[in-house]
Amino acid sequence: MADQIILETERLMLRKLTPDDLEALFRLYRDPVIREHFPEGVLNREETKAELDWIIKVYYGEYGYGLWATIYKPTGAFIGRCGLLPWVIDERQEVEVAYLLDQAYWGQGLASEAAQAIVAYGFDVLNLNRLICLPIPENAASMRVAEKMGMHVEHEIVLDGTPAMLYSIEKA
Ligand SMILES: CC(C)(COP(=O)(O)OP(=O)(O)OC[C@H]1O[C@@H](n2cnc3c(N)ncnc32)[C@H](O)[C@@H]1OP(=O)(O)O)[C@@H](O)C(=O)NCCC(=O)NCCS
């Protein structure tokens, strides 16, 4: 278990996802409110399993990072998945800070707490030089989390036909 832990904050522990997390992840991915700002909308169990398999095999296996199970330390509850995602945008390799939490835990500063720790992990442990975020303009909460990580808007981009804001931060 210890080698599965990626990082800890005051209230959260981020660990690698495993196949056993399928039902907990699916409970979040089938929620239309949580998935409101995702172009592909809610996912069914098979789609969730395909994403989970991809995270474990390709992201962890080939990149050494990915989305991680986000555990609320006071209770041990699985409350979301947050982490780092590789992208190629305009022929440039980018790494996105991504976050998604159970609605019951919104509004307590938890996404900001996770995101700030992920930025530190990306810069200090993975030695990345630049991180981005890609919220759609309607996702005010996500844009605010990006700002609270110290990111600034670069420009608007279109990803698979959907406009998004490209926020970024460079390693100091
Ligand atoms: C985006 C998300 C992770 C934010 O989680 P959270 O734990 O509620 O965020 P925080 O509590 O850390 O709040 C961050 C900031 O956003 C603000 N905020 C939260 N909800 C907001 C809303 N609906 N509109 C505007 N601002 C909002 C908070 O006030 C806070 O700013 P402040 O500290 O200046 O007051 C959560 O809403 C979520 O999981 N959404 C669904 C998945 C998603 O859209 N992920 C992002 C994809 S790019």
Side-chain angles (χ1 to χ4, degrees):
M1 178 67 182
D3 65 331
Q4 302 298 303
I5 296 176
I6 301 298
L7 62 86
E8 289 193 56
T9 66
E10 187 188 340
R11 292 176 290 174
L12 299 172
M13 186 256 286
L14 271 59
R15 62 154 172 82
K16 286 186 183 171
L17 286 158
T18 76
D20 290 343
D21 292 315
L22 176 59
E23 289 309 315
L25 191 60
F26 175 50
R27 193 175 61 77
L28 304 180
Y29 278 10
R30 72 180 174 198
D31 182 329
V33 177
I34 293 178
R35 297 289 298 187
E36 180 184 356
H37 298 300
F38 288 74
E40 65 274 40
V42 294
L43 300 192
N44 63 31
R45 184 180 276 101
E46 289 67 37
E47 290 164 336
T48 305
K49 182 175 183 314
E51 181 178 307
L52 185 57
D53 289 348
W54 185 267
I55 290 167
I56 294 169
K57 186 173 169 219
V58 179
Y59 291 159
Y60 297 168
E62 294 181 17
Y63 291 86
Y65 57 79
L67 297 174
W68 300 303
T70 302
I71 307 299
Y72 188 61
K73 289 202 294 191
T75 58
F78 180 112
I79 67 161
R81 58 70 173 154
C82 302
L84 295 167
L85 288 175
W87 283 89
V88 176
I89 297 174
D90 294 335
E91 299 177 9
R92 178 176 192 173
Q93 180 69 54
E94 301 273 23
V95 182
E96 177 195 8
V97 181
Y99 30 83
L100 176 150
L101 296 181
D102 186 334
Q103 276 188 69
Y105 293 83
W106 291 2
Q108 303 174 41
L110 289 168
S112 303
E113 187 172 317
Q116 287 162 6
I118 291 166
V119 168
Y121 181 86
F123 287 156
D124 300 340
V125 179
L126 298 178
N127 229 357
L128 300 170
N129 288 316
R130 169 183 159 91
L131 292 165
I132 65 163
C133 207
L134 297 166
I136 66 168
E138 293 78 15
N139 197 345
S142 182
M143 291 194 289
R144 186 75 191 115
V145 174
E147 286 165 8
K148 294 186 74 174
M149 284 185 267
M151 290 191 175
H152 299 285
V153 178
E154 271 189 23
H155 52 82
E156 194 172 313
I157 61 167
V158 178
L159 284 173
D160 297 332
T162 304
M165 307 304 294
L166 192 147
Y167 282 74
S168 69
I169 183 171
E170 313 280 335
K171 188 172 181 172

